[in-house]
Amino acid sequence: MRFVQYRDAGRVVPGALVDGLVYELSRATAAIDGDFLARDDLARIVDEVVADAAGAGTPLESLELAAPIAQPTKIVCIGLNFSDHAAETGAEIPAEPVVFMKDPSTIVGPFDDVLIPRGSEKTDWEVELGIVIAREARYLDSPADAAAVIGGYVLSHDVSERHFQLERGGQWDKGKSCETFNPLGPWLATADEVPDPQALGMRLSVNGVTRQDGTSANQVFGVHHVVWYLSQFMVLRPGDLINTGTPAGVALGLPGQPYLRDGDVVELSIDGLGTARQTFRSQA
């Protein structure tokens, strides 16, 4: 199953995406949130909505898409989780996952503008595979137990300001939590739609120039390991988002470090999770 959220007359509406058409889910839930994703009858709900609509859904491309999930209680990120990305930044491959947090209010829609913050010198891109949790996870016994708590996967853009992140002291969070710094979507794909999360192509271009072209197979710590690991240190709650790292090709690691500027257009995609496009605008 695939779920979206879209804007209509000032409200955000939940929907199911079936064969390119979106069917409103407002009778079943107010949002694609943790409570909804934790339900065991999602397939029945979608089947009933599609049947009631007699196939009269709305084409996806005609809708103004919001992020496909409601704002979570937290966004947890894994840094340096691709061996090629660690190499391009001059960092050693970590012995354990590098964990940092990102402000949940950074989430915006897949085609929304992204604001380059005031004082920014080094706003950077990062295509990432996002995990959305569907069932509470605490102290999982092993990575094998992680599959049972994952609700689905989503295309995530972990925008970063490297000057804030790496050169201003303290932790990484202030270079990750600027307004609009986590575009998400276009849709959430439930876990059954992604049989192998370690076999997904990941791509990103800037102004039509390919910058990242990798695969989740190169993650240092795979999806299930990451969920298990995090559950040893925090409670993962339904609706929470985990960004699992980015492949090589970020501006930080490229010759000349071509950081994002006003008017730049970033397009990104992950196999089975759709394509997103954002224009970067200088913060007023």
Side-chain angles (χ1 to χ4, degrees):
M1 292 169 286
R2 294 177 177 178
F3 296 109
V4 300
Q5 295 191 133
Y6 59 95
R7 302 182 182 106
D8 181 41
R11 65 189 184 110
V12 175
V13 182
L17 175 61
V18 180
D19 296 330
L21 299 177
V22 175
Y23 299 86
E24 184 174 342
L25 292 173
S26 295
R27 286 184 297 168
T29 182
I32 307 300
D33 57 12
D35 289 341
F36 179 71
L37 294 173
R39 294 183 61 162
D40 294 324
D41 59 347
L42 294 181
R44 178 191 62 79
I45 290 171
V46 172
D47 287 345
E48 288 181 355
V49 167
V50 173
D52 289 346
T58 304
L60 177 69
E61 59 271 15
S62 70
L63 295 172
E64 181 187 351
L65 293 180
I69 61 171
Q71 184 173 304
T73 62
K74 57 183 169 291
I75 303 174
V76 190
C77 302
I78 307 299
L80 303 174
N81 198 31
F82 282 70
S83 53
D84 52 359
H85 174 56
E88 73 175 344
T89 62
E92 294 185 2
I93 294 176
E96 294 190 36
V98 175
V99 178
F100 62 93
M101 308 294 285
K102 188 162 184 154
D103 180 359
S105 71
T106 56
I107 290 178
V108 294
F111 302 103
D112 291 347
D113 288 349
V114 175
L115 299 176
I116 298 173
R118 294 181 185 179
S120 171
E121 300 176 6
K122 300 179 179 180
T123 294
D124 205 347
W125 58 82
E126 294 189 30
V127 58
E128 304 214 3
L129 173 63
I131 305 167
V132 181
I133 298 298
R135 291 171 180 80
E136 190 170 272
R138 51 158 53 84
Y139 298 115
L140 296 178
D141 289 334
S142 74
D145 297 321
V149 306
I150 294 173
Y153 300 94
V154 65
L155 171 62
S156 186
H157 191 177
D158 177 24
V159 185
S160 308
E161 211 297 337
R162 304 299 188 188
H163 178 64
F164 297 174
Q165 176 191 356
L166 302 173
E167 300 172 37
R168 296 288 298 273
Q171 299 183 354
W172 287 5
D173 300 39
K174 62 180 176 283
K176 297 285 188 172
S177 292
C178 303
E179 185 180 7
T180 72
F181 263 28
N182 204 143
L184 206 63
W187 59 72
L188 165 74
T190 53
D192 58 300
E193 294 258 347
V194 185
D196 186 358
Q198 305 308 148
L200 301 176
M202 307 170 65
R203 294 160 294 274
L204 182 145
S205 65
V206 181
N207 300 328
V209 177
T210 298
R211 294 301 192 183
Q212 292 182 281
D213 187 0
T215 169
S216 60
N218 288 337
Q219 287 185 334
V220 178
F221 304 101
V223 162
H224 293 163
H225 183 96
V226 164
V227 173
W228 162 77
Y229 182 86
L230 292 175
S231 78
Q232 310 306 304
F233 303 97
M234 65 187 76
V235 179
L236 300 175
R237 303 189 187 281
D240 283 351
L241 173 66
I242 303 169
N243 288 331
T244 60
T246 197
V250 300
L252 176 65
L254 290 174
Q257 297 184 327
Y259 291 111
L260 294 163
R261 298 291 182 258
D262 184 70
D264 284 346
V265 176
V266 174
E267 189 169 36
L268 58 157
S269 64
I270 295 180
D271 293 346
L273 299 180
T275 297
R277 184 179 187 272
Q278 295 108 38
T279 301
F280 281 69
R281 303 294 187 190
S282 293
Q283 177 70 275

